[in-house]
Amino acid sequence: ERRFVFPDNLLGISWVDSSWIPILNNGSVLDYFSERSNPFYDRTCNNEVVKMQRMTLDHLNQMVGVEYILLHAQEPILFIIRKQQRQSPTQVMPLADYYIIAGVIYQAPDLGSVINSRVLTAVHGIQSAFEEAMSYCRYHPSKGYWWHFKDQEEREKTKPKAKKKEEPSSIFQRQRVDALLLDLRQKFPPRFVQQKPGEKPIPVDQIKKEPEPAPEAVKPEEKETVKNAQSAGAKGPPEKRMRLQ
């Protein structure tokens, strides 16, 4: 004897036998549902007893226990089968519903399972939202808390920056800046000099200083002639005297 072990929660599985799909109708759908490989079928039900004793389904009303009935049919695409507990010919208690769509059998979820699934989905969404929000939270002792979003950085990068109009500097500002630069140059003289644009800077110590030209020696006689020429140029030419005949 083979025993089939199925999971307790059947809401996440489905079952289908493709060989039955072309012949599914109101009369054969219960036989299709009672296949041994169907995990939704309970072999201890009254339907199995009726099948073994070769009786009709009308005898189910006279029995007590679990049974399966065809609740709704919309051939050939939709069939709904109900599992119920019969206590008397007129009193039954529904246990589960199964719907068959295009030959595939699913178990319809009960109200408790639907509410539980919706609550878990909502809690998961809220928890994910809180975790994502916390990833954007920043804190610094001097600033406190603030939000740092990635899309905000992208918008700031793509946003064109407005060009500021440059105002001309005043004479006082230029003179003051030149004085400060001169003061800094005297306190911290440059160590490297770039003689031409594009060249590598070189140390100031390696620059060869050109010797200053020595003052030419001037003879005392030349000095006197220079002085006389300068004094004559300043006084003007001497007046000519008239000659006596």
Side-chain angles (χ1 to χ4, degrees):
E1 181 181 358
R2 294 183 179 180
R3 293 184 179 182
F4 298 88
V5 180
F6 302 108
D8 296 335
N9 187 6
L10 302 177
L11 298 177
I13 64 173
S14 62
W15 180 84
V16 62
D17 188 350
S18 58
S19 61
W20 280 81
I21 294 177
I23 59 174
L24 278 181
N25 53 40
N26 293 354
S28 63
V29 66
L30 283 177
D31 294 333
Y32 173 60
F33 190 84
S34 62
E35 282 287 326
R36 290 185 174 273
S37 57
N38 181 15
F40 304 107
Y41 183 67
D42 185 4
R43 298 187 191 86
T44 61
C45 63
N46 292 338
N47 298 64
E48 194 72 14
V49 176
V50 169
K51 183 190 295 186
M52 292 177 64
Q53 295 181 1
R54 297 181 179 180
M55 296 185 295
T56 60
L57 295 177
D58 297 335
H59 289 81
L60 292 175
N61 297 335
Q62 308 300 325
M63 303 175 68
V64 177
V66 177
E67 63 183 20
Y68 294 91
I69 63 169
L70 178 61
L71 184 65
H72 176 76
Q74 186 178 346
E75 294 183 357
I77 191 68
L78 175 64
F79 302 93
I80 298 178
I81 295 176
R82 171 167 289 181
K83 179 182 180 181
Q84 58 188 11
Q85 176 74 34
R86 180 170 293 278
Q87 299 175 356
S88 67
T90 59
Q91 187 177 4
V92 293
M93 182 177 63
L95 299 178
D97 289 338
Y98 306 92
Y99 53 95
I100 305 174
I101 300 177
V104 184
I105 302 177
Y106 306 90
Q107 181 176 347
D110 56 289
L111 182 60
S113 300
V114 172
I115 295 176
N116 188 23
S117 176
R118 297 293 176 86
V119 170
L120 288 177
T121 303
V123 170
H124 176 71
I126 294 173
Q127 185 177 1
S128 301
F130 273 111
E131 291 177 355
E132 185 174 0
M134 289 299 296
S135 64
Y136 298 122
C137 181
R138 300 289 185 274
Y139 173 76
H140 193 272
S142 61
K143 297 181 180 180
Y145 289 95
W146 76 92
W147 299 104
H148 182 75
F149 298 101
K150 296 180 180 179
D151 55 350
Q152 184 177 1
E153 294 182 355
E154 295 176 357
R155 286 199 301 267
E156 291 179 355
K157 290 180 181 178
T158 57
K159 185 178 179 181
K161 296 182 179 179
K163 295 182 178 179
K164 297 181 179 180
K165 295 182 179 179
E166 296 182 357
E167 298 180 358
S169 60
S170 62
I171 299 176
F172 172 77
Q173 291 174 343
R174 291 194 294 270
Q175 292 177 351
R176 186 60 180 166
V177 170
D178 292 342
L180 292 174
L181 292 176
L182 182 60
D183 187 20
L184 291 174
R185 181 181 176 85
Q186 292 175 356
K187 291 182 179 180
F188 308 100
R191 298 181 180 179
F192 295 88
V193 176
Q194 187 179 17
Q195 295 181 346
K196 294 181 180 180
E199 292 184 354
K200 186 178 180 181
I202 59 177
V204 179
D205 302 337
Q206 297 180 7
I207 299 177
K208 296 181 179 179
K209 296 183 180 180
E210 297 180 358
E212 296 180 357
E216 297 180 356
V218 182
K219 296 180 180 180
E221 297 177 357
E222 293 179 357
K223 287 183 180 181
E224 292 179 0
T225 55
V226 172
K227 288 182 179 179
N228 295 332
Q230 289 179 354
S231 60
K235 294 180 180 179
E239 297 180 357
K240 296 181 179 180
R241 295 180 181 179
M242 296 179 63
R243 294 183 181 180
L244 297 176
Q245 295 180 351

